[in-house]
Amino acid sequence: MLNKRCSKLLYEIMNADGYISILQLSKVFGVSNRTIRYDLDRIDDFLESSNLPQLIRKPNEGIAYECSEVEKSKVLDLLGEIDLNQYVLSQDERITMILTELLESRNYITMERLAEIILVSRSTIIKDMEKVKQWLINRNLELKACKNHGVRIIGEEKYLRKAALVLLTDNVDVYKALSLIKASKISKSEYGLDKYKKQFFKDIDLSYIENCLHIAEKQLETKFTDEAYSGLVIHIAIAIKRIKENKDIVMEENELKALEITNEFVVASSIAKILENRFQVVIPIDEIGYMAIHLLGSNVSISNNNDVDWGSIEFITNNFINNVGSILGVDLFDDKQLFDGLIQHIRPTIYRLKHDLTLKNPLLREIKESYEKVFCAIKGSNFGIEEYAGNKLSDEEIGYLTLHFAAAIERKKGTNKKIVNVIVVCATGIGTSKLVSSKIQSLFNINIIDTIAYHHVDDVLKNGNVDLIITTVPIKSDTNNIPCIEVNPFLTEKNINDISTALRKYNGGYASKRNVSLEKIIQIIGHSCTILNSETLSQELASYLSIANDIKKGVFEPMLDDLLTNKFIRLNVDAENWEQAVRVGGEILKNNDVIEQKYIEGMINSVKTLGPYIVIAPGIAMPHARPDESVKKIGMSLITLNKPINFGNKDNDPVTIVVCLCAVDHSSHLKALSELVTFLGDEKFITIVSNAKDSSEIINYIKNKGDM
């Protein structure tokens, strides 16, 4: 174990912006250059004995430390507690403390009082104030000074809350922030700051809020990732704190009305009632709406999604996959796991973008380094998401999307026999856990039974037959003697060796196996033979070959030419407005016994409630509603309008082509939708549809896959 000075020295180096010289370190710690060099040698010995990367020493530049998030967490765990009275605060730490005091204070606070709290001189506080002002300006806030009274922060309530959340989670992963705030002792990474983070919520029962979120998970039939879970707890705590100070959020009436139809709003309302009783506050409807936005924007790991705008999100996702695959030269069209994972991820991403919610990504630097081409491909292909949400994707958001595609590319390399039952634990999101799962399965012959968030480990261990736990975060709960291996999300050679060692007792169950698709095997057999019972054949082949059965049982997945037949196409329709155009497209489906009248009304009400999101591309609208009992089977109708009509979408109006879509579930229509996405991106197809005199021109183009 390092002594206190060495611990503080290592922490200083880890948090330095680039290299820091020995001369600078000697001034900070008040010791000679020689003493610093001796301490650096001790630190290197300590790191080497702990199987961690050693310090980087660069002549004429200084000392630096580079490591992964997992390795950083391990270093901080090993450093243990430190005496705060002996700790020297950096300027960044002083600024964090100043901001915390200002955000907490209801009134003005003087420079003298700040200096007294932080134990520095008044002149030091005055110098720090320039950075404080800039930090606030970057977050749409302002520092107001009043003579003889001091300074205070002013700005819109939503920006004040966002600033508080950023401050509380700055320099630490969101999922760790909650444990730091709740911790009974001051320790680990934020030596001088833990006290302030905990004091921020000294009168708020965080455990009670956590219990409310467990209720929300059950009601929404969802499981939040650790990062989303912690972020929600902190957001609700900030909201309660501000409501107690009579600082309420105000939302636009139309936005609130759109939120009220969501399941998340219903759940937020029920949580609000529980919180009101516990904290003796009255939570206004605007606050409930704001809470619903955060639930919608949470990066969920499992969700039974039934959104009214499902068609638009699926369209965007399909287009996104095709664009990224085209840039990378990889066919990802048939990867249902990628599609499902992106649907789950893009839905909350859109809410985050629409409402300017921040998402932190502690793995961003490593993602950019490890998957530079994938990251760049996504950055050049995300225009559909950005257009729909009306905001730009941050690099943090792109980083998480990159993990989904990286996992899909890993899956292309091979699948494995399923022998050892493994759970993968990850706190930073479903994309990270999928990446780890895919990489492990491409190397080892194992059965990954689940990918879960950290706070669900105990539940899975109680209910499941688990042989091995592979985790990207430290697990401190009882694992019932089940081996637990902590890994980097990018699997280092040491990680691979550790997993290999753990698997040796399972009779060599870690040999890799090339990718085999059962669906492809069935297709090959069908070319030469008549298959009397494809379901039984697929089950027996899957069992014999020890591969996944990727054939859906009893589900008809039509292609685009199965749906867009002559009966479902009408050309040069006269319509007075967008509502009439939607009704014409809906009547085609109804008259062919695909839907009931209720579905047509649902399509129209969706636009009236949520706006013209159905205008998915310039000149093209795709009306749809929730899949429910009014849909009898998968259907699609296409009409062209004699005169272009405005739907109210300033970017993509006026509309000349209307494609009405209905589905019985969230998967069986995807092949047809994927084909439609491809065709709608084909300028020649749009020209043919727009100028067609007979529906056969469109049908033939689709059947020939554009080879005309």
Side-chain angles (χ1 to χ4, degrees):
M1 178 60 69
L2 296 174
N3 61 30
K4 289 176 182 176
R5 189 179 63 233
C6 288
S7 295
K8 289 188 286 184
L9 180 59
L10 177 54
Y11 177 70
E12 186 79 21
I13 295 167
M14 286 174 65
N15 287 276
D17 185 14
Y19 287 87
I20 183 168
S21 70
I22 289 177
L23 180 61
Q24 287 174 287
L25 291 170
S26 68
K27 288 180 180 179
V28 169
F29 290 94
V31 295
S32 67
N33 290 357
R34 178 180 294 182
T35 299
I36 292 293
R37 288 193 179 92
Y38 286 145
D39 285 347
L40 294 176
D41 290 339
R42 290 192 191 98
I43 290 170
D44 266 339
D45 291 340
F46 164 76
L47 293 171
E48 185 179 18
S49 66
S50 304
N51 293 316
L52 290 162
Q54 292 181 282
L55 298 171
I56 299 171
R57 309 190 194 204
K58 202 166 185 180
N60 302 320
E61 289 197 44
I63 315 297
Y65 190 65
E66 293 182 4
C67 63
S68 69
E69 288 299 320
V70 171
E71 290 165 336
K72 182 177 180 180
S73 178
K74 186 175 179 182
V75 171
L76 297 173
D77 275 328
L78 291 170
L79 288 181
E81 296 184 21
I82 196 163
D83 185 350
L84 292 178
N85 293 325
Q86 299 179 26
Y87 185 71
V88 180
L89 293 173
S90 68
Q91 185 184 41
D92 286 344
E93 289 171 323
R94 291 197 305 272
I95 288 166
T96 297
M97 290 182 182
I98 292 169
L99 286 165
T100 303
E101 292 292 339
L102 289 170
L103 283 167
E104 262 206 299
S105 177
R106 300 184 186 185
N107 303 309
Y108 287 93
I109 185 167
T110 64
M111 300 293 175
E112 288 78 8
R113 178 59 183 151
L114 288 170
E116 182 184 328
I117 292 168
I118 301 173
L119 301 175
V120 293
S121 67
R122 185 177 183 277
S123 61
T124 299
I125 294 293
I126 292 171
K127 288 178 184 177
D128 291 341
M129 276 299 166
E130 289 304 314
K131 283 201 171 185
V132 170
K133 288 177 186 176
Q134 191 57 53
W135 192 95
L136 292 170
I137 289 170
N138 293 341
R139 288 156 183 82
N140 301 302
L141 296 170
E142 185 181 343
L143 189 68
K144 183 180 179 181
C146 183
K147 193 174 181 181
N148 299 325
H149 288 83
V151 292
R152 62 178 296 193
I153 298 172
I154 58 171
E156 285 187 48
E157 181 63 21
K158 66 178 180 180
Y159 294 128
L160 284 163
R161 294 191 189 186
K162 188 175 178 182
L165 182 62
V166 169
L167 190 66
L168 289 165
T169 59
D170 200 23
N171 297 320
V172 64
D173 300 343
V174 177
Y175 73 93
K176 289 182 182 177
L178 183 59
S179 62
L180 287 173
I181 292 164
K182 290 168 62 181
S184 59
K185 291 189 288 187
I186 298 168
S187 60
K188 291 195 181 179
S189 59
E190 302 296 323
Y191 302 128
L193 304 181
D194 270 2
K195 178 176 67 175
Y196 288 85
K197 291 184 176 181
K198 286 185 287 185
Q199 283 180 346
F200 200 87
F201 296 128
K202 57 181 178 291
D203 56 347
I204 303 292
D205 186 348
L206 295 178
S207 297
Y208 192 87
I209 296 173
E210 288 186 75
N211 291 334
C212 289
L213 283 183
H214 288 309
I215 294 170
E217 284 184 320
K218 290 178 182 177
Q219 291 179 341
L220 290 171
E221 296 182 354
T222 202
K223 288 186 179 180
F224 300 122
T225 63
D226 287 344
E227 185 174 72
Y229 174 82
S230 298
L232 282 166
V233 172
I234 295 172
H235 158 70
I236 293 172
I238 291 171
I240 291 171
K241 185 179 175 69
R242 298 296 288 178
I243 291 169
K244 283 186 171 185
E245 297 171 2
N246 297 316
K247 303 288 186 181
D248 298 339
I249 282 284
V250 177
M251 293 188 67
E252 292 183 9
E253 187 177 345
N254 290 340
E255 187 177 22
L256 194 57
K257 188 178 178 182
L259 286 167
E260 286 176 352
I261 66 170
T262 65
N263 290 334
E264 284 78 2
F265 187 88
V266 174
V267 172
S269 299
S270 66
I271 291 174
K273 289 179 182 178
I274 300 171
L275 293 170
E276 284 180 335
N277 293 332
R278 172 63 181 82
F279 294 103
Q280 298 298 300
V281 293
V282 176
I283 300 179
I285 191 169
D286 298 66
E287 290 284 357
I288 294 172
Y290 201 59
M291 195 185 301
I293 287 171
H294 280 77
L295 288 172
L296 286 160
S298 295
N299 189 16
V300 295
S301 54
I302 301 172
S303 178
N304 296 325
N305 183 3
N306 195 27
D307 293 318
V308 70
D309 56 349
W310 59 269
S312 301
I313 294 174
E314 287 181 359
F315 182 89
I316 291 167
T317 303
N318 253 307
N319 224 350
F320 186 37
I321 291 171
N322 287 345
N323 290 338
V324 174
S326 177
I327 292 173
L328 295 174
V330 181
D331 183 10
L332 301 171
F333 180 81
D334 291 324
D335 192 330
K336 188 175 182 302
Q337 194 172 342
L338 172 63
F339 181 86
D340 289 344
L342 285 174
I343 285 287
Q344 297 290 350
H345 189 91
I346 287 173
R347 171 181 176 262
T349 297
I350 286 169
Y351 273 94
R352 286 194 295 270
L353 293 182
K354 282 184 175 180
H355 300 282
D356 201 25
L357 303 181
T358 302
L359 179 71
K360 293 187 71 175
N361 190 336
L363 298 172
L364 182 60
R365 182 175 61 83
E366 293 182 65
I367 291 170
K368 284 182 173 181
E369 290 175 358
S370 301
Y371 301 106
E372 182 182 2
K373 288 183 180 178
V374 179
F375 186 91
C376 292
I378 291 171
K379 201 157 191 173
S381 307
N382 60 36
F383 42 83
I385 300 172
E386 293 181 337
E387 286 177 7
Y388 186 76
N391 204 349
K392 290 284 186 182
L393 280 167
S394 65
D395 279 4
E396 280 77 8
E397 294 279 10
I398 293 171
Y400 281 119
L401 292 168
T402 299
L403 293 176
H404 286 273
F405 282 94
I409 292 168
E410 291 293 336
R411 281 192 293 275
K412 296 283 285 186
K413 297 178 181 177
T415 59
N416 318 283
K417 284 186 179 180
K418 299 181 176 180
I419 297 175
V420 181
N421 288 329
V422 176
I423 60 169
V424 176
V425 181
C426 189
T428 55
I430 190 69
T432 311
S433 56
K434 291 287 187 187
L435 172 67
V436 174
S437 299
S438 296
K439 291 201 76 164
I440 292 169
Q441 283 192 311
S442 70
L443 295 166
F444 304 108
N445 193 7
I446 57 176
N447 173 31
I448 294 181
I449 58 175
D450 208 350
T451 54
I452 61 172
Y454 174 77
H455 67 284
H456 289 289
V457 170
D458 291 340
D459 293 337
V460 173
L461 293 182
K462 287 177 186 174
N463 302 324
N465 179 25
V466 179
D467 299 313
L468 179 65
I469 301 168
I470 296 176
T471 177
T472 62
V473 292
I475 294 180
K476 296 182 180 179
S477 57
D478 183 14
T479 60
N480 298 326
N481 296 319
I482 297 170
C484 181
I485 300 173
E486 189 176 326
V487 300
N488 183 293
F490 300 91
L491 285 191
T492 64
E493 287 189 14
K494 183 180 182 304
N495 296 155
I496 294 169
N497 183 61
D498 289 344
I499 297 171
S500 298
T501 302
L503 291 173
R504 285 195 186 111
K505 66 178 180 180
Y506 294 102
N507 299 317
Y510 49 88
S512 63
K513 190 170 184 231
R514 64 187 181 84
N515 189 18
V516 179
S517 169
L518 186 59
E519 187 172 15
K520 187 68 176 176
I521 293 173
I522 297 291
Q523 287 176 359
I524 293 169
I525 294 172
H527 290 155
S528 304
C529 310
T530 301
I531 300 174
L532 300 178
N533 190 326
S534 60
E535 188 172 312
T536 300
L537 177 62
S538 63
Q539 288 176 347
E540 292 180 354
L541 281 173
S543 175
Y544 178 72
L545 296 172
S546 297
I547 60 176
N549 187 344
D550 53 6
I551 307 292
K552 292 186 181 69
K553 299 177 183 178
V555 177
F556 172 57
E557 293 188 331
M559 303 300 285
L560 187 60
D561 57 5
D562 294 320
L563 299 179
L564 281 182
T565 61
N566 187 57
K567 294 188 296 182
F568 292 89
I569 298 175
R570 278 187 60 184
L571 305 175
N572 301 315
V573 170
D574 287 314
E576 294 182 4
N577 51 46
W578 70 263
E579 184 173 336
Q580 190 177 354
V582 174
R583 288 192 183 279
V584 171
E587 289 293 336
I588 295 173
L589 295 171
K590 180 187 172 186
N591 294 338
N592 285 283
D593 201 32
V594 174
I595 61 171
E596 297 173 356
Q597 181 66 31
K598 179 184 172 185
Y599 191 81
I600 299 176
E601 303 305 325
M603 289 192 289
I604 292 167
N605 288 334
S606 296
V607 179
K608 288 181 177 178
T609 304
L610 299 179
Y613 64 87
I614 60 170
V615 187
I616 56 175
I620 303 167
M622 191 173 71
H624 53 276
R626 298 176 189 271
D628 59 21
E629 68 280 355
S630 64
V631 180
K632 299 178 181 180
K633 55 186 176 182
I634 303 167
M636 198 180 286
S637 68
L638 185 151
I639 67 171
T640 61
L641 299 172
N642 199 25
K643 293 181 180 178
I645 291 176
N646 287 332
F647 276 59
N649 187 311
K650 64 179 181 180
D651 296 321
N652 294 326
D653 275 342
V655 170
T656 55
I657 300 171
V658 180
V659 181
C660 287
L661 175 66
C662 63
V664 294
D665 55 34
H666 285 284
S667 60
S668 52
H669 62 287
L670 294 180
K671 286 187 177 179
L673 181 64
S674 294
E675 283 192 284
L676 178 66
V677 169
T678 302
F679 278 111
L680 292 180
D682 179 357
E683 290 184 11
K684 187 176 180 182
F685 176 73
I686 300 300
T687 301
I688 287 174
V689 172
S690 301
N691 299 325
K693 305 298 182 186
D694 189 276
S695 59
S696 61
E697 297 175 47
I698 299 171
I699 292 167
N700 289 336
Y701 191 85
I702 292 172
K703 284 186 175 179
N704 292 312
K705 309 298 181 189
D707 296 330
M708 294 179 64

